[in-house]
Amino acid sequence: METQVQKVQKVLVHLSGGNAAAQCARFVQSITGHFGGQDETQVGCYLDNNRFILSQGAGQRVPLKRPAFCPFKHLSVTQAAAIPLDVQDRGVDVGVAVILQTANQRVLLTRRAAGLRIFPGLWVPPGGHVELEETLVAAGLRELQEETGLEVELNDVSPQILGLWESAYPARLARGSPFRHHIVTYMLLHCPHTHQELQVCLRPDPAEVSACLWVDRDLARSIVGGADGEEGGLQPPPPPVVRVTEVLPDGALRGSLLPGAVLCARAPAEGPDVERVSTGTKYALGLWLDSLAPRQSSSTAGGSC
């Protein structure tokens, strides 16, 4: 009897433990929790035959984190069983988000278009799904070009994985059962051009991007200071206003001012979401700041994957 080999349809997360073969992660399981039950851990990661392998040992060691309110951390057996089977069968998708660092140490954030199904109106780095046969870096460069029009050559960047983020949508169980589950790789790319040089080349896709923003270190510190799920004032306080580039429906660009407090807003525990920098992006900006001034005790890994 011949064995039928199921054709791989998309890149999914696989979990490896010990000498056992890597198994496709289940949609309803917490990936971060699988590696010890804490909200942050260190894992090995690598791509192999269109599988994104996470393990305790093999591969490049990088930080993996989930928010304290991650739905997959709190999902009960009953709630998991109630998720439609077609959603459960999706597995855990693999995404990459580009932290594009310019020669004058700015990074690019984009505001997701209001018409997008997941995370509309939130500020995030350019990024998206990893497609079949792509490397993480190639996927990031492709998504960067598709969303912003910026074409950056692989030979011009020094790719480095900052960390992994476990993402769910909706982001809280209070907003409904999750129907999207991703592990997002935050990929730092060192670009040889300044943000002023790149700004003139911006051609964002209005179907995906409604605004763009170049973040410097001071603003990043304020954004990171407003960590979701934490109390207290922002340290340092954000600037009163921040200059952003609005993307009009026809693709035209227009300069605008945005209150700095909007970018530092925390994710509301209840009710509808608000315009803000996403929780995962705050995590990535913190890792980026650490990379600019590494501490001797820092365990953040470098290199490409």
Side-chain angles (χ1 to χ4, degrees):
M1 182 175 180
E2 294 184 1
T3 301
Q4 290 186 343
V5 178
Q6 187 175 7
K7 184 178 180 180
V8 176
Q9 300 294 325
K10 59 180 179 177
V11 180
L12 293 172
V13 172
H14 285 65
L15 303 177
S16 176
N19 296 322
Q23 300 295 315
C24 189
R26 295 179 297 115
F27 178 86
V28 297
Q29 75 179 114
S30 172
I31 304 304
T32 312
H34 174 81
F35 293 100
Q38 302 299 314
D39 288 336
E40 186 168 11
T41 186
Q42 293 269 330
V43 298
C45 72
Y46 59 98
L47 275 171
D48 177 58
N49 291 327
N50 292 311
R51 303 175 303 163
F52 189 51
I53 310 292
L54 300 182
S55 72
Q56 291 280 20
Q60 176 191 347
R61 300 282 290 180
V62 296
L64 165 65
K65 188 172 183 178
R66 67 183 176 189
F69 49 81
C70 177
F72 297 104
K73 175 182 178 180
H74 302 284
L75 203 64
S76 70
V77 173
T78 302
Q79 289 170 321
I83 294 176
L85 291 179
D86 64 318
V87 174
Q88 294 191 41
D89 289 342
R90 288 175 180 165
V92 181
D93 290 300
V94 180
V96 61
V98 172
I99 305 297
L100 183 67
Q101 178 184 312
T102 66
N104 57 339
Q105 295 188 337
R106 305 290 200 279
V107 295
L108 178 64
L109 294 186
T110 62
R111 187 175 63 199
R112 290 175 58 81
L116 294 176
R117 190 180 182 195
I118 66 172
F119 298 114
L122 295 197
W123 288 88
V124 298
H129 288 100
V130 178
E131 295 184 352
L132 295 175
E133 308 303 333
E134 277 189 317
T135 65
L136 295 176
V137 178
L141 292 175
R142 173 183 53 76
E143 290 286 351
L144 177 68
Q145 192 281 325
E146 290 175 358
E147 293 185 9
T148 71
L150 295 179
E151 296 189 29
V152 180
E153 296 295 330
L154 178 58
N155 292 335
D156 291 338
V157 297
S158 301
Q160 173 187 345
I161 294 179
L162 290 176
L164 309 179
W165 178 256
E166 184 168 8
S167 173
Y169 191 83
R172 293 178 182 266
L173 282 177
R175 297 198 179 99
S177 297
F179 59 85
R180 289 288 187 272
H181 192 182
H182 292 78
I183 293 296
V184 179
T185 300
Y186 286 107
M187 179 73 67
L188 176 62
L189 301 181
H190 298 268
C191 181
H193 306 292
T194 67
H195 78 279
Q196 295 97 332
E197 292 171 328
L198 294 175
Q199 176 68 25
V200 298
C201 300
L202 278 177
R203 300 293 185 272
D205 179 357
E208 297 195 56
V209 175
S210 64
C212 298
L213 163 69
W214 295 100
V215 176
D216 61 20
R217 283 185 288 182
D218 289 339
L219 180 54
R221 291 189 187 99
S222 294
I223 293 171
V224 172
D228 296 329
E230 298 181 6
E231 302 295 334
L234 300 175
Q235 296 295 332
V241 293
V242 177
R243 183 169 297 278
V244 303
T245 301
E246 299 275 356
V247 183
L248 303 182
D250 62 356
L253 305 182
R254 179 180 65 192
S256 180
L257 295 177
L258 183 73
V262 169
L263 297 171
C264 301
R266 292 185 169 98
E270 299 177 343
D273 211 341
V274 297
E275 181 179 353
R276 59 184 176 86
V277 174
S278 78
T279 310
T281 302
K282 291 179 180 180
Y283 165 66
L285 289 176
L287 294 175
W288 174 62
L289 290 172
D290 287 345
S291 76
L292 295 177
R295 299 183 296 269
Q296 288 185 350
S297 60
S298 175
S299 60
T300 301
S304 61
C305 183

